[in-house]
């Protein structure tokens, strides 16, 4: 789990955009297929091709802050697009070409038979730093989702959140001092945020100063990490055992497990990973190993490593400015 870099990296925003989509070399309309805000591309039932297609080509651009890129200690910066499908255990990398200061462009080609469900499209800017080649110096905050089974480009199921005063509800009064709780008992999970905790809503919803935004980043990643851990535990208990085989629980429980399993057991296929997980919980052996895996997987889903490292870099920059002022 990466939490910091021992060398200088880009602190500005890096943007990845999907500009055009081609199916078997035929351009298709992107208005109904691409969601820029949620960063999703939907590919099911492509009427434009009128047949079963075999190859997808995405034309993409990646941009970084050109002033920061040109003024830093980075030499020969290069951008690489990456595509990962965890279910199919597929990983591809594509070299992008410079297209102006702080900008790269190129194409990503994917074979339909190699991908299942959703693939993630990301980008990495690498450079020579301190004489060492191939250093990762920047990447977008989150990847695009290439959904092969969706008709409309919508994000995956998200967690519902509600602000509520714990002191005004009998079933929550016992937890009146807790800043948040996850309820997984009534259908879809709901994250309750305690509005009675002084200052919590102001930081999470209305952060305005630089310092408040830094606290917001760390706090929100902690909330998300704990929520993923709680949903994971509830999902494990929802699994059934049929003979010697563990059965996927279906619904949101299965969504959570399938999303987290590649980070829990990266070297195992999903079904084998589920069996390994259930056996570890049933036998109660090596619980510390499972907890380490869970903390890591929940942190990955909450993007905690990147958020914490970004906050630490910003704090260091603010401190340096004060010292030189």
């Amino acid at each position: 789990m990466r939490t910091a870099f021992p060398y200088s990296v880009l602190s500005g925003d890096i943007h990845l955009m999907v500009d055009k989509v081609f199916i078997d070399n035929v351009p298709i309309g992107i208005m109904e297929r691409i969601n820029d805000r949620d960063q999703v591309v939907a590919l099911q039932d492509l009427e434009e091709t009128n047949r079963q297609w075999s190859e997808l080509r995405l034309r993409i651009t990646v941009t970084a802050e050109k002033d920061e890129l040109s003024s830093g200690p980075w030499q020969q910066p290069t951008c690489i697009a990456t595509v990962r499908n965890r279910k199919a255990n597929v990983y591809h990398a594509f070299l992008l070409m410079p297209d102006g200061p702080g900008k790269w462009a190129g194409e990503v080609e994917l074979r339909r038979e190699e991908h299942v469900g959703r693939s993630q499209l990301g980008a990495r800017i690498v450079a020579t730093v301190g004489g060492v080649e191939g250093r990762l110096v920047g990447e977008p905050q989150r990847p695009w989702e290439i959904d092969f089974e969706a008709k409309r480009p919508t994000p995956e199921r998200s967690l519902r959140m509600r602000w509520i005063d714990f002191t005004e509800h009998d079933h929550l009064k016992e937890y009146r001092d807790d800043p948040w709780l996850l309820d997984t008992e009534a259908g879809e999970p709901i994250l309750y945020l305690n509005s009675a905790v002084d200052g919590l809503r102001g930081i999470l919803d209305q952060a305005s100063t630089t310092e408040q935004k830094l606290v917001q980043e760390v706090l929100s990643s902690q909330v998300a990490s704990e929520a993923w851990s709680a949903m994971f535990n509830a999902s494990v208990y929802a699994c059934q055992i049929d003979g010697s085989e563990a059965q996927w629980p279906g619904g949101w429980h299965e969504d959570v497990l399938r999303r987290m399993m590649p980070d829990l057991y990266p070297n195992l296929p999903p079904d084998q990973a589920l069996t390994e997980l259930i056996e570890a919980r049933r036998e109660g052996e090596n619980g510390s190993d499972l907890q380490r895996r869970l903390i890591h997987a929940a942190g990955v889903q909450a993007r905690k490593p990147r958020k914490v490292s970004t906050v630490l870099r910003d704090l260091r920059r603010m401190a340096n400015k004060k010292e030189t002022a």
Side-chain angles (χ1 to χ4, degrees), residues 145-286:
E145 299 285 343
I146 312 301
D147 198 326
F148 293 86
E149 299 176 356
K151 296 181 180 179
R152 288 181 293 181
T154 57
E156 289 187 298
R157 186 183 316 195
S158 58
L159 178 64
R160 288 191 296 163
M161 294 184 292
R162 285 183 57 191
W163 282 101
I164 189 170
D165 188 336
F166 287 14
T167 64
E168 295 180 355
H169 297 267
D170 292 338
H171 68 292
L172 293 174
K173 285 183 178 179
E174 181 180 353
Y175 313 105
R176 61 171 59 87
D177 295 326
D178 291 351
W180 54 80
L181 283 175
L182 185 74
D183 182 2
T184 61
E185 295 183 357
E188 296 287 325
I190 301 176
L191 178 65
Y192 291 118
L193 299 167
N194 190 356
S195 59
V197 175
D198 187 31
L200 181 64
R201 190 162 193 168
I203 286 295
L204 290 179
D205 283 356
Q206 302 167 0
S208 56
T209 68
T210 301
E211 291 81 1
Q212 288 176 344
K213 290 179 180 179
L214 293 179
V215 175
Q216 181 192 58
E217 284 293 299
V218 175
L219 193 58
S220 62
S221 68
Q222 183 62 32
V223 174
S225 181
E226 290 187 14
W228 278 106
S229 294
M231 288 191 295
F232 172 83
N233 287 322
S235 300
V236 171
Y237 285 111
C239 292
Q240 301 294 324
I241 306 297
D242 184 5
S244 61
E245 294 185 1
Q247 301 296 312
W248 294 97
W252 71 265
H253 295 103
E254 182 170 341
D255 291 344
V256 168
L257 290 176
R258 289 192 179 277
R259 186 163 173 175
M260 297 182 70
M261 209 66 78
D263 294 308
L264 279 150
Y265 299 102
N267 299 320
L268 296 178
D271 290 341
Q272 188 177 342
L274 180 65
T275 299
E276 182 81 11
L277 170 63
I278 299 303
E279 285 298 319
R281 291 298 294 261
R282 287 176 64 186
E283 297 177 5
E285 296 179 0
N286 206 15

Side-chain angles (χ1 to χ4, degrees), residues 43-198:
L43 298 173
Q44 190 182 45
D45 294 341
L46 289 163
E47 297 177 357
E48 296 90 340
T49 63
N50 197 31
R51 61 185 174 87
Q52 291 295 320
W53 56 275
S54 60
E55 185 182 75
L56 164 71
R57 190 153 48 91
L58 304 175
R59 186 168 297 171
I60 66 173
T61 56
V62 176
T63 56
E65 293 186 6
K66 60 181 181 180
D67 292 338
E68 182 186 16
L69 191 65
S70 62
S71 62
W74 309 286
Q75 298 176 341
Q76 299 176 318
T78 302
C79 188
I80 300 171
T82 62
V83 176
R84 181 182 185 185
N85 189 293
R86 292 178 172 178
K87 291 183 180 180
N89 195 26
V90 170
Y91 183 89
H92 296 296
F94 303 86
L95 179 65
L96 303 182
M97 296 293 105
D99 192 32
K103 185 178 181 180
W104 294 265
E107 294 185 345
V108 170
E109 297 181 359
L110 304 178
R111 302 290 299 179
R112 179 66 183 90
E113 70 268 13
E114 295 180 345
H115 296 264
V116 178
R118 285 189 175 218
S119 295
Q120 290 187 328
L121 169 66
R124 294 188 169 192
I125 299 176
V126 297
T128 299
V129 184
V132 180
E133 298 180 352
R135 293 283 202 181
L136 174 62
V137 298
E139 59 186 340
Q141 185 172 2
R142 63 190 179 98
W144 278 67
E145 299 285 343
I146 312 301
D147 198 326
F148 293 86
E149 299 176 356
K151 296 181 180 179
R152 288 181 293 181
T154 57
E156 289 187 298
R157 186 183 316 195
S158 58
L159 178 64
R160 288 191 296 163
M161 294 184 292
R162 285 183 57 191
W163 282 101
I164 189 170
D165 188 336
F166 287 14
T167 64
E168 295 180 355
H169 297 267
D170 292 338
H171 68 292
L172 293 174
K173 285 183 178 179
E174 181 180 353
Y175 313 105
R176 61 171 59 87
D177 295 326
D178 291 351
W180 54 80
L181 283 175
L182 185 74
D183 182 2
T184 61
E185 295 183 357
E188 296 287 325
I190 301 176
L191 178 65
Y192 291 118
L193 299 167
N194 190 356
S195 59
V197 175
D198 187 31

Side-chain angles (χ1 to χ4, degrees), residues 16 35-41 118 140 142-146:
L16 168 61
N35 184 330
D36 289 331
R37 185 187 63 183
D38 295 317
Q39 299 184 187
V40 179
V41 179
R118 285 189 175 218
R142 63 190 179 98
W144 278 67
E145 299 285 343
I146 312 301

